[in-house]
Amino acid sequence: MFYSRGVCWSSGCEKQGDVSPVENHIHCDEGQPQTEEGSEAACPGISIVTDGFADSAPGDVSGGPASCEGEEHTHLDSQDTHLDSEDAHLDSEHTHLSAEQALDSASGEESQEDSGEFVAAMLARSRLEEQGLGVKGGSPPLADTGPSPPPPGLHRDEDVTADAWRAHRKHVFVLSEAGKPIYSRYGSEEALSSTMGVMMALVSFVQSGDNTIRSVHSDQHTVVFMQQGPLVLVSVSSSGQSEQQLRHELRYVYNQIVSMLTQASIARIFQHKKNYDLRRLLAGSEKILDGLLDLLDCDPSFLLSAVHCMPLASSLRDALSHVLQKAITPNLVFSILIAQGQLVTIVQERTVIEDARLEPADLHLLLNLIGASSAFQAGEIWTPICLPSFNPDCYFYAYISYLDPPSCSVCLLLLSTDKEAFYAVAECKRKIEEAMLAQNALAALAKARPYSATQVGVSDLRHFMYKPFDVPDNHRQLTQFTSPEMESPYSSEAEKTRLLDLYRDLHGRIHSTSRPLKLIYHVAERETLLAWVTSKFELYTCFSPLVTKASSINAITKLLRWIKKEEERLFIRYPPKYSTTPNPSRTRKAPEHDATDNGFLSLL
Amino acid sequence: MLCVFFSPRMASGMQEKQYTPSLLSFFIYNPKFGPREGEEEKKILFYHPSELDKNEKIRSVGLCEAIVQFTRTFCPTKPAKSLHTQKNRQIFYEPEEHFWMVMVVRNPMIEKPNKDGKPPTIEYQEDEILDSVYGAVLQQCYSMYKLFNGTFGRAMEAGGVEMLTQKLEKFFYRYLQTLHLQSCDLLDVFGGISFFPLDKMTYLKIQSFVNRVEQSLSLIKYTAFLYNDQLIWSGLEQDDMRILYKYLTTSLFPRHTEPELAGRDSPLRPEVAGNLLHYGRFLTGPASLKDPDAKIRFPRIFVNTEDSYEELHLIVYKAMSAAVCFMISAAEDLTREFCEQLDSLVGPQLTLLASDICEQYNINRRISGSVLISLTLRQTPRKCLALLALLSSNKHTIGAHIKRNICYFDSQRSQACALFQYSIYTI
């Protein structure tokens, strides 16, 4: 498949001075873009792949890659045969908005281009996935049977009047101020447009009384409303979570949308046309929001606003950091290595972002992006992405590639500020790959396993979550937490959810805005939990039900001692930095120097 | 077991003005009464403040209807109970089918003065108000109405919408003035009855007294016995007793304490001074039996509204600190003779009993730093836990500790019940 070689979206329109506000390409060879752009320039507009609900009609075939010769990555060559048919299919699915529509959505400003570009990236991504399934399964390429409607999303075509729809634990809706549906977790937006209309009516009715709606509570559900700029987000949950927690989750959903479009361009779009259908720009990205919501339900890192980093011998982690530190190029700002969905190490440019750091919230969005799309497993991805907590109005360019196909557990993520840096960044990846191969790091990473609570050596301790606060020295660290694997009796999904619910409940009480608590000792039906927050850490523990208060306090003391001992392994202690100033001579020296500064070498 | 510690609150600044929660509006509507456009006003059965513009009233009712309808999308059987907004909190309660009671409470707020003559900034404390507390207050409003007026449905059957609106107007006009929203707390949620601690012998004496009176005056259907505003014996169903108890202790008894405080030889109590045999007197009904023109009329109450729907005369008779409630079917015509008979039978015995109880109470009294309350709650275990969280967050409580926590299932009502015994340590 052509996409397995590497899918790169870059826009050459500045070079050409093209009138087209947005151009997106899927190209594989340096030579190709020029000609493609030529053909696209004839039809200015955003290329949008409809997912069956955008109101544009299937249109002309253009903008697709003409050829994908020139493979560099030998391990993927075998799949090239499918290339042409895939392309044909892709093209036939492309439709063009009319020039008017394009004007509405994109008024020719630069960030607008970016958003369009991103959308295209997303579109192609989802498209690729859908096709990928067919190809991998050995079925004939979809193109053979002509353009077929895209397979419906998992919950998209649910009957919204059925009990099964009502029974979902948590619904999330996103709508525009004009009441236009943008996203619904379950059921199609069309079927829910009246429900969303009511939501908007409620919001604006309360607003008309110079007031703001917050939430509605019933015996079973909590409905939380949140307005963010021109978007209204609504969560309807029967999970028993606090209003605050639900609001926190909605903020993630909003940020994920911002990460695709940027806040400024969302604002601009709606300023220009109040009833714009944002789904045109988000088409294909529902999967990412779906994935985010699933993660929110099952991953405590969102609850704790901290990153779960993979437990790893500090020598290995430092060696990997060192590899990342070496492979740099101008404008590279973050190098992130992820294994099995957990953070291995993160290295950041020091001068560009002097006193900033990557917020856990942004990292969560990145992790979700990678996890939500299996298309990333197929090669190299170059996509604009906005990190809302860092700066909601500008894009970074993310290079995403797996280092260990086909198992696809180790993922490299390089963030650059330069739109054109794909080849330079890809070169960094090659260096990293080589260095890791030399050190046999992949094998070492594959061996890394989450630890078990029994390793702590405290009987009755079943599970815990420990989140230290910033260390007293002046390093502004990435907020992290550590937690063992959920083992029996929490091995089944239902039990995992139950334990997480208990944690959420404790968390909600500890962080209640009006009545915060410091320590909770809670004897539940099947376990005993103790939650404790101090100025240095936040800790949630789960014990067997028969533990006594005294023994649990005792156990916590032992646990804290164990964590202290294992600190090097459980956390990234000093996130290393590098310098990518344009001067190559400085660049070469800088990492060494920085490392000493950070105490990095002293750790080795 | 649940043990909670919490941090002390920061004292508010010097010049800040703090406003406690207050009642913004209170209304009762039935969406079935004005289904057509332009007839919305007919839905409104009661609205406080009544002077509000008609369109405003219709708008607020419309919002409530919309919210309720909206939550039905997700669960048809469990509609909304409350709406939180930045400035206020709305509590919804549907006591009878299609009859909705809504209470809008303004959030407590802090007014911070601004320099340079700018208008002060107002900060709403949105999380201060607890749904459980104000939900209980609203339910109590209905229960109290029902105790004296019966259900909405019965009023509709008897005299249509006019009769219902009249009844609502008459009752809530006065009742809403007695709501002290700023001081509502945990005890409103429990709606509990405080029992009087007593030794076995005295308890049996009381029981035998109740039996003897019921035997002699066969008209009496139910009896309740209280001492010092605390319950000792009751023949009523507990739900009815809870609301009656609430009425007795917060409304009726406080209105009648003055004569006793004045002392037994005071000229303020001529009718007692004239009767040297006992200190008994009626708290409801005729002010004096000696006045031949006084009408014999007792307040009516409605109990067991779920099944037998009984309308009763409520006779409250008191001697010293002991009070007895006699409930007689409203179908019976109560005569002066009956009242005299009751007075002469119950008066002397109750006087004696009251002094007996007082004596025993003084012997048994222990001085204790904590308040011990036993309560039975018709609540689900989950709700009980929520109540405990509430308990721990009560402003006057510095710590709470459950002594015993027994949960059982009441199959008759198919409702989980929990019996709690706990102690509250107050500052």
Side-chain angles (χ1 to χ4, degrees):
Chain A
M1 292 171 284
F2 78 96
Y3 49 85
S4 49
R5 145 58 182 92
V7 186
C8 163
W9 291 270
S10 83
S11 136
C13 49
E14 296 103 319
K15 280 180 264 164
Q16 298 212 334
D18 204 313
V19 286
S20 165
V22 176
E23 291 222 27
N24 38 80
H25 295 281
I26 300 166
H27 73 83
C28 310
D29 205 340
E30 285 98 312
Q32 291 300 325
Q34 300 297 326
T35 53
E36 287 159 29
E37 273 147 26
S39 67
E40 180 126 333
C43 182
I46 313 171
S47 296
I48 295 277
V49 178
T50 58
D51 259 3
F53 46 74
D55 49 355
S56 46
D60 44 338
V61 177
S62 74
S67 121
C68 275
E69 251 70 57
E71 273 292 337
E72 293 174 357
H73 296 246
T74 47
H75 59 277
L76 296 165
D77 278 351
S78 58
Q79 298 185 318
D80 276 356
T81 42
H82 294 291
L83 195 64
D84 290 342
S85 55
E86 296 289 340
D87 284 349
H89 173 58
L90 229 138
D91 290 345
S92 63
E93 294 266 322
H94 269 78
T95 56
H96 283 266
L97 297 180
S98 68
E100 258 177 54
Q101 284 168 323
L103 257 173
D104 287 341
S105 60
S107 38
E109 284 158 88
E110 258 187 292
S111 58
Q112 205 71 53
E113 275 172 42
D114 291 344
S115 68
E117 209 174 341
F118 182 81
V119 171
M122 289 304 169
L123 296 173
R125 192 174 302 149
S126 62
R127 189 72 34 210
L128 294 171
E129 276 176 65
E130 282 150 16
Q131 293 173 11
L133 288 173
V135 174
K136 278 172 192 158
S139 60
L142 289 167
D144 289 355
T145 53
S148 58
L154 201 58
H155 298 288
R156 291 282 160 255
D157 54 351
E158 258 182 60
D159 178 6
V160 300
T161 52
D163 283 344
W165 181 81
R166 291 199 186 106
H168 286 301
R169 205 171 123 100
K170 195 183 288 159
H171 288 273
V172 172
F173 306 93
V174 183
L175 45 146
S176 73
E177 260 184 319
K180 276 234 166 161
I182 294 172
Y183 170 79
S184 161
R185 188 178 185 186
Y186 305 108
S188 80
E189 290 85 3
E190 270 71 33
L192 290 164
S193 62
S194 65
T195 307
M196 295 212 214
V198 172
M199 290 176 190
M200 196 54 232
L202 292 178
V203 171
S204 50
F205 186 91
V206 174
Q207 222 161 32
S208 69
D210 195 21
N211 201 346
T212 316
I213 193 168
R214 302 285 195 222
S215 57
V216 175
H217 300 252
S218 74
D219 276 344
Q220 199 169 351
H221 289 99
T222 305
V223 186
V224 175
F225 294 84
M226 188 170 86
Q227 182 150 23
Q228 287 286 321
L231 301 188
V232 174
L233 296 99
V234 183
S235 168
V236 180
S237 153
S238 54
S239 62
Q241 279 168 278
S242 74
E243 192 182 324
Q244 220 182 331
Q245 287 170 348
L246 294 170
R247 210 168 282 285
H248 182 69
E249 294 185 359
L250 286 182
R251 185 166 294 278
Y252 267 109
V253 174
Y254 174 70
N255 281 345
Q256 186 82 66
I257 295 172
V258 166
S259 81
M260 300 182 236
L261 300 172
T262 76
Q263 192 164 279
S265 72
I266 294 174
R268 202 161 33 231
I269 288 165
F270 285 105
Q271 211 169 24
H272 195 74
K273 193 173 173 190
K274 270 235 168 315
N275 62 350
Y276 184 78
D277 189 351
L278 200 65
R279 281 180 301 165
R280 287 177 190 168
L281 292 182
L282 289 174
S285 59
E286 291 90 350
K287 222 167 251 176
I288 295 168
L289 292 173
D290 289 347
L292 175 73
L293 289 167
D294 292 343
L295 269 187
L296 280 167
D297 283 344
C298 67
D299 186 346
S301 44
F302 293 90
L303 178 73
L304 296 173
S305 303
V307 177
H308 194 183
C309 89
M310 164 158 274
L312 216 58
S314 62
S315 56
L316 178 59
R317 198 192 307 277
D318 291 342
L320 289 167
S321 307
H322 203 64
V323 167
L324 294 187
Q325 243 177 337
K326 280 267 165 70
I328 50 174
T329 175
N331 296 321
L332 189 66
V333 283
F334 287 109
S335 309
I336 301 163
L337 192 64
I338 296 147
Q340 296 156 38
Q342 291 181 338
L343 183 68
V344 172
T345 184
I346 175 167
V347 184
Q348 77 175 63
E349 149 71 62
R350 65 163 16 208
T351 50
V352 174
I353 32 175
E354 188 74 294
D355 36 35
R357 59 172 176 175
L358 197 57
E359 287 294 323
D362 285 338
L363 199 57
H364 288 150
L365 296 181
L366 288 171
L367 286 172
N368 174 54
L369 183 73
I370 294 167
S373 183
S374 52
F376 289 147
Q377 300 187 353
E380 301 163 87
I381 299 285
W382 181 245
T383 175
I385 182 133
C386 166
L387 301 179
S389 311
F390 194 89
N391 181 350
D393 297 326
C394 81
Y395 277 122
F396 282 101
Y397 297 87
Y399 173 91
I400 302 164
S401 177
Y402 281 91
L403 299 177
D404 60 342
S407 63
C408 288
S409 67
V410 181
C411 183
L412 179 69
L413 176 63
L414 301 171
L415 286 175
S416 167
T417 51
D418 182 8
K419 192 189 240 182
E420 308 294 335
F422 172 73
Y423 295 103
V425 174
E427 178 60 20
C428 291
K429 180 240 175 174
R430 206 188 45 76
K431 280 191 213 157
I432 291 167
E433 212 167 27
E434 268 171 18
M436 283 180 72
L437 202 67
Q439 298 184 5
N440 205 12
L442 282 178
L445 273 179
K447 267 185 234 147
R449 288 277 168 275
Y451 59 98
S452 151
T454 53
Q455 278 172 276
V456 182
V458 178
S459 56
D460 294 334
L461 180 71
R462 289 179 176 179
H463 190 259
F464 67 89
M465 299 194 295
Y466 174 84
K467 171 186 165 186
F469 293 130
D470 273 7
V471 277
D473 54 36
N474 53 9
H475 283 285
R476 289 192 68 203
Q477 271 210 19
L478 184 69
T479 315
Q480 299 164 54
F481 81 102
T482 187
S483 175
E485 203 178 8
M486 283 195 185
E487 291 165 313
S488 168
Y490 306 107
S491 34
S492 74
E493 279 309 310
E495 283 297 294
K496 267 181 196 163
T497 314
R498 202 174 61 79
L499 180 61
L500 274 177
D501 281 348
L502 286 166
Y503 279 149
R504 282 195 193 103
D505 187 44
L506 295 181
H507 179 273
R509 288 197 209 180
I510 278 191
H511 293 281
S512 149
T513 45
S514 57
R515 300 163 184 87
L517 303 170
K518 293 248 179 251
L519 180 70
I520 304 177
Y521 181 72
H522 178 87
V523 181
E525 205 179 340
R526 279 176 265 174
E527 53 274 290
T528 295
L529 296 112
L530 200 153
W532 188 18
V533 57
T534 72
S535 60
K536 292 201 174 111
F537 62 83
E538 195 173 325
L539 175 68
Y540 300 85
T541 48
C542 170
F543 295 97
S544 65
L546 300 175
V547 79
T548 63
K549 213 182 288 178
S551 67
S552 63
I553 296 281
N554 207 357
I556 282 189
T557 318
K558 277 189 199 160
L559 171 64
L560 291 175
R561 218 174 288 147
W562 181 82
I563 292 171
K564 185 82 199 152
K565 202 178 83 205
E566 300 285 322
E567 211 166 31
E568 303 271 295
R569 195 166 69 87
L570 301 179
F571 300 105
I572 301 172
R573 293 281 284 150
Y574 300 102
K577 298 184 177 182
Y578 52 68
S579 182
T580 57
T581 37
N583 186 343
S585 63
R586 267 192 64 194
T587 313
R588 238 169 262 135
K589 278 179 191 167
E592 303 291 328
H593 183 65
D594 293 347
T596 347
D597 268 2
N598 288 334
F600 172 69
L601 284 183
S602 61
L603 286 170
L604 277 173
Chain B
M1 206 174 284
L2 184 104
C3 189
V4 193
F5 303 82
F6 58 103
S7 56
R9 295 153 160 277
M10 296 274 288
S12 58
M14 287 287 284
Q15 289 156 352
E16 287 174 1
K17 256 201 235 165
Q18 193 134 19
Y19 294 92
T20 52
S22 60
L23 185 70
L24 281 180
S25 56
F26 181 99
F27 48 93
I28 300 167
Y29 70 91
N30 187 327
K32 299 281 165 211
F33 289 177
R36 259 164 291 165
E37 193 122 349
E39 288 184 347
E40 288 89 351
E41 203 187 358
K42 289 188 182 166
K43 292 177 187 172
I44 306 169
L45 300 169
F46 174 78
Y47 203 104
H48 164 90
S50 54
E51 60 274 14
L52 199 75
D53 177 59
K54 185 182 104 178
N55 288 328
E56 269 311 302
K57 290 181 185 175
I58 291 171
R59 272 169 64 85
S60 355
V61 168
L63 175 65
C64 298
E65 277 190 76
I67 296 272
V68 166
Q69 208 49 46
F70 170 64
T71 43
R72 286 214 163 108
T73 322
F74 297 97
C75 183
T77 51
K78 289 181 183 130
K81 289 211 145 168
S82 71
L83 165 70
H84 299 201
T85 67
Q86 184 203 4
K87 293 185 180 171
N88 56 48
R89 183 76 57 100
Q90 306 200 6
I91 316 285
F92 311 110
Y93 179 48
E94 187 186 21
E96 293 170 39
E97 205 185 0
H98 303 311
F99 285 95
W100 284 88
M101 296 174 78
V102 182
M103 184 164 76
V104 186
V105 183
R106 194 199 59 206
N107 285 336
M109 53 188 193
I110 300 174
E111 200 179 84
K112 286 178 183 162
N114 266 341
K115 284 167 202 153
D116 321 325
K118 276 187 221 153
T121 33
I122 291 170
E123 199 177 278
Y124 290 92
Q125 296 173 298
E126 297 176 37
D127 298 321
E128 276 303 310
I129 291 185
L130 293 166
D131 282 352
S132 43
V133 170
Y134 290 93
V137 169
L138 186 59
Q139 288 182 24
Q140 226 166 52
C141 286
Y142 172 73
S143 301
M144 199 63 92
Y145 169 86
K146 194 178 70 175
L147 182 70
F148 291 104
N149 297 281
T151 60
F152 296 154
R154 289 283 173 134
M156 286 288 299
E157 280 167 30
V161 184
E162 291 77 34
M163 186 175 196
L164 178 62
T165 48
Q166 265 173 26
K167 280 190 167 205
L168 291 171
E169 197 70 44
K170 200 173 149 206
F171 178 82
F172 282 109
Y173 176 73
R174 279 187 55 198
Y175 186 76
L176 290 181
Q177 291 170 351
T178 67
L179 280 182
H180 296 287
L181 290 186
Q182 65 281 1
S183 56
C184 290
D185 59 12
L186 175 74
L187 292 176
D188 291 291
V189 179
F190 286 141
I193 295 168
S194 178
F195 284 88
F196 189 80
L198 208 59
D199 66 305
K200 276 181 258 175
M201 277 313 292
T202 323
Y203 182 78
L204 285 173
K205 271 186 202 169
I206 290 165
Q207 188 143 28
S208 116
F209 160 79
V210 169
N211 288 341
R212 261 180 292 136
V213 174
E214 283 185 357
Q215 195 66 40
S216 332
L217 301 167
S218 53
L219 284 181
I220 297 172
K221 219 165 172 185
Y222 305 106
T223 312
F225 194 107
L226 294 94
Y227 187 87
N228 259 355
D229 286 7
Q230 287 170 302
L231 189 67
I232 296 177
W233 201 90
S234 158
L236 274 183
E237 281 292 319
Q238 199 171 40
D239 276 343
D240 291 325
M241 192 59 224
R242 268 162 65 183
I243 196 67
L244 179 62
Y245 178 81
K246 172 91 183 166
Y247 163 70
L248 294 174
T249 53
T250 58
S251 178
L252 186 69
F253 291 163
R255 272 188 275 143
H256 290 85
T257 45
E258 293 83 7
E260 275 163 4
L261 290 175
R264 66 179 70 158
D265 298 325
S266 157
L268 280 171
R269 304 176 63 201
E271 79 276 9
V272 177
N275 188 347
L276 293 172
L277 287 170
H278 61 82
Y279 297 111
R281 66 206 170 89
F282 288 96
L283 295 191
T284 58
S288 166
L289 287 175
K290 299 221 161 48
D291 179 3
D293 300 326
K295 276 189 181 158
I296 307 293
R297 274 188 60 191
F298 291 95
R300 306 276 181 97
I301 60 166
F302 296 80
V303 299
N304 289 329
T305 47
E306 302 272 297
D307 34 63
S308 53
Y309 203 85
E310 293 169 86
E311 189 177 350
L312 305 166
H313 293 288
L314 174 67
I315 303 172
V316 184
Y317 191 87
K318 194 170 182 184
M320 300 202 286
S321 292
V324 202
C325 305
F326 298 109
M327 282 149 275
I328 295 163
S329 170
E332 305 289 339
D333 208 12
L334 293 185
T335 59
R336 180 178 307 276
E337 289 69 46
F338 175 80
C339 295
E340 279 166 359
Q341 199 187 351
L342 191 127
D343 187 48
S344 60
L345 177 75
V346 175
Q349 291 191 45
L350 191 61
T351 311
L352 270 177
L353 209 47
S355 57
D356 267 10
I357 298 168
C358 181
E359 215 170 281
Q360 280 302 318
Y361 178 60
N362 284 334
I363 294 166
N364 295 335
R365 188 154 74 186
R366 289 173 299 131
I367 293 154
S368 162
S370 67
V371 191
L372 189 76
I373 310 172
S374 347
L375 291 166
T376 51
L377 298 167
R378 293 227 141 65
Q379 304 280 13
T380 59
R382 192 178 162 78
K383 263 198 185 158
C384 289
L385 286 176
L387 288 174
L388 283 165
L390 195 74
L391 179 75
S392 60
S393 60
N394 188 311
K395 278 181 191 156
H396 308 294
T397 316
I398 52 169
H401 184 76
I402 312 167
K403 281 201 167 165
R404 203 175 301 146
N405 172 354
I406 313 155
C407 289
Y408 64 94
F409 198 75
D410 186 343
S411 55
Q412 210 178 2
R413 285 176 184 267
S414 62
Q415 216 173 3
C417 301
L419 179 71
F420 277 106
Q421 190 178 35
Y422 64 88
S423 51
I424 313 171
Y425 305 98
T426 52
I427 298 165

